[in-house]
């Protein structure tokens, strides 16, 4: 953790993409059983922690994202304060840079950063396993965000297997001007009627072999069947990226964000300029993959 001004500490909360996303079935309790390859990317929010006398205060730089009890940052801080009987207070300032309602786990990664940040700030000495076991109460993707890097996620997303770092590549991340609710997408998915299932095991082998082509060739996300049907612009962006130098392109999570994989930074930059001109996406970023070791 970097030291901030005075007694403040700063943490980065990195976004994720799904290199592959399969839904195996809908459970009786309404949750979906998934099988996904998760990958941390170099787009991040910044959280600044300052110890105070008492209470939890969350301040954000986005009007549409209040720092109240609905914020996952607040929820994570409250869960930790209650679980560990922390008597002192904490102020957490959130600089939001990850697009919201985008399929990039923006909220989950902020919660994960609170776990890592408060663990250090208050000397809680939680192991990664202990943090993950508690973090799942906030959301199924939070344990993965604590781990970071390349991982296989199963169960409802909380059963994690660390994988070797995915092969290096360059990304163009594009979010069209729509917000998608994860609840809507899963609610409209007919898991038992899916015609195709991604080859997640094959992708895992390709990652283990360091074979970028093998990864790209297996990039599939079953949630596209719901989100693209409602928002065809997602398909347009995927096609545009593939026609403009991307080895492959996919919707991340429940969408609507699309990422393209490129072999060089120049190709990703060129595609960004062309897509900007074409006007299909409101937010555009180039990015790289972030390894587990870089997620402090
Ligand atoms: P996922 O990929 O996990 O489905 P997402 O990128 O689709 O996530 P988020 O940006 O994480 O979606 O958040 C969805 C909603 O959660 C937001 O619209 C917002 O109301 C709420 N939320 C609560 N706390 C946060 C936070 N710290 N950052 C972003 N959204 C938050």
């Amino acid at each position: 953790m970097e030291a901030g001004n005075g007694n403040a500490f700063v943490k980065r909360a990195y976004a994720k993409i799904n290199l592959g996303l399969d839904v195996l079935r809908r459970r009786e309790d309404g949750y979906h059983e998934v099988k996904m390859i998760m990958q941390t990317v170099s787009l991040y929010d910044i959280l600044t922690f300052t110890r105070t006398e008492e209470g939890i205060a969350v301040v954000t730089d986005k009007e549409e994202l209040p720092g109240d009890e609905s914020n996952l940052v607040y929820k994570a801080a409250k869960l930790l304060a209650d679980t560990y009987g922390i008597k002192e207070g904490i102020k957490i300032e959130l600089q939001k840079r990850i697009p919201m309602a985008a399929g990039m786990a923006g909220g989950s990664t902020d919660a994960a950063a609170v776990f890592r940040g408060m663990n250090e700030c208050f000397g809680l000495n939680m192991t990664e396993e202990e943090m993950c076991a508690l973090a799942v109460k906030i959301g199924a993707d939070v344990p993965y965000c604590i781990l970071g890097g390349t991982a296989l996620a199963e169960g409802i997303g909380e059963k994690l297997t660390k994988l070797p770092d995915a092969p290096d590549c360059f990304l163009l991340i594009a979010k069209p001007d729509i917000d998608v609710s994860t609840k809507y997408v899963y609610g409209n998915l007919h898991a038992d009627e899916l015609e195709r299932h991604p080859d997640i095991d094959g992708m895992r082998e390709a990652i283990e072999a360091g074979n970028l082509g093998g990864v790209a060739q297996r990039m599939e996300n079953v949630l596209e069947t719901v989100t693209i049907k409602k928002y065809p612009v997602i398909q347009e962006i995927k096609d545009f990226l593939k026609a403009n130098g991307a080895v492959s392109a996919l919707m991340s999570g429940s969408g609507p964000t699309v990422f393209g994989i490129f072999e060089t930074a120049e190709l990703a930059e060129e595609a960004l300029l062309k897509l900007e001109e074409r006007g299909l996406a409101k937010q555009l970023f180039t990015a790289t993959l972030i390894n587990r070791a870089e997620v402090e």
Side-chain angles (χ1 to χ4, degrees), residues 43-252:
L43 194 61
Y44 57 88
D45 291 343
I46 300 171
L47 287 86
T48 306
F49 299 80
T50 314
R51 283 166 76 152
T52 59
E53 276 181 20
E54 58 174 3
I56 298 166
V58 177
V59 183
T60 87
D61 62 352
K62 285 265 178 301
E63 210 173 303
E64 63 273 31
L65 181 66
D68 62 15
E69 291 169 17
S70 70
N71 198 303
L72 292 179
V73 169
Y74 187 97
K75 286 188 182 168
K78 176 90 170 63
L79 178 62
L80 286 167
D82 290 349
T83 307
Y84 286 88
I86 300 171
K87 298 277 179 285
E88 281 173 79
I90 187 93
K91 178 182 173 195
I92 308 172
E93 288 160 275
L94 171 63
Q95 279 170 262
K96 195 78 207 167
R97 307 177 353 161
I98 303 171
M100 293 201 278
M104 302 200 76
S108 303
T109 195
D110 291 345
V114 171
F115 271 74
R116 285 189 269 106
M118 283 181 61
N119 197 29
E120 285 178 43
C121 239
F122 293 106
L124 304 178
N125 291 320
M126 283 186 285
T127 62
E128 199 170 77
E129 287 71 31
E130 285 166 344
M131 281 198 270
C132 288
L134 193 57
V136 72
K137 290 191 186 173
I138 305 287
D141 281 349
V142 185
Y144 163 70
C145 293
I146 288 175
L147 219 67
T150 312
L152 170 70
E154 295 171 286
I156 59 165
E158 89 295 8
K159 282 192 197 141
L160 300 167
T161 309
K162 292 178 185 173
L163 299 180
D165 297 339
D168 273 342
C169 58
F170 298 86
L171 302 172
L172 171 50
I173 294 172
K175 188 192 175 218
D177 193 11
I178 35 178
D179 288 343
V180 171
S181 121
T182 305
K183 211 170 154 202
Y184 167 84
V185 176
Y186 276 99
N188 285 277
L189 179 77
H190 301 289
D192 45 353
E193 292 168 19
L194 289 168
E195 283 167 17
R196 287 184 56 87
H197 284 278
D199 178 12
I200 300 289
D201 294 332
M203 179 176 282
R204 179 183 177 167
E205 284 164 24
I207 289 169
E208 285 165 349
N211 171 6
L212 183 62
V215 172
Q217 187 189 324
R218 291 177 178 83
M219 278 171 34
E220 276 186 63
N221 175 353
V222 296
L223 300 182
E224 286 185 344
T225 58
V226 179
T227 319
I228 292 185
K229 196 186 277 176
K230 186 145 192 247
Y231 302 109
V233 66
I234 296 167
Q235 186 64 47
E236 278 187 73
I237 296 175
K238 284 182 66 178
D239 294 343
F240 189 88
L241 294 182
K242 287 189 207 167
N244 286 279
V247 186
S248 191
L250 192 72
M251 184 180 86
S252 183

Side-chain angles (χ1 to χ4, degrees), residues 242-291:
K242 287 189 207 167
N244 286 279
V247 186
S248 191
L250 192 72
M251 184 180 86
S252 183
S254 48
T257 304
V258 174
F259 64 93
I261 297 242
F262 296 81
E263 280 170 348
T264 68
E266 291 71 29
L267 284 169
E269 285 290 345
E270 276 170 32
L272 184 144
L273 295 176
K274 285 185 195 154
L275 185 55
E276 205 163 42
E277 202 172 300
R278 180 80 173 72
L280 294 174
K282 183 153 184 242
Q283 287 169 283
L284 287 166
F285 312 85
T286 52
T288 52
L289 308 189
I290 292 285
N291 301 334

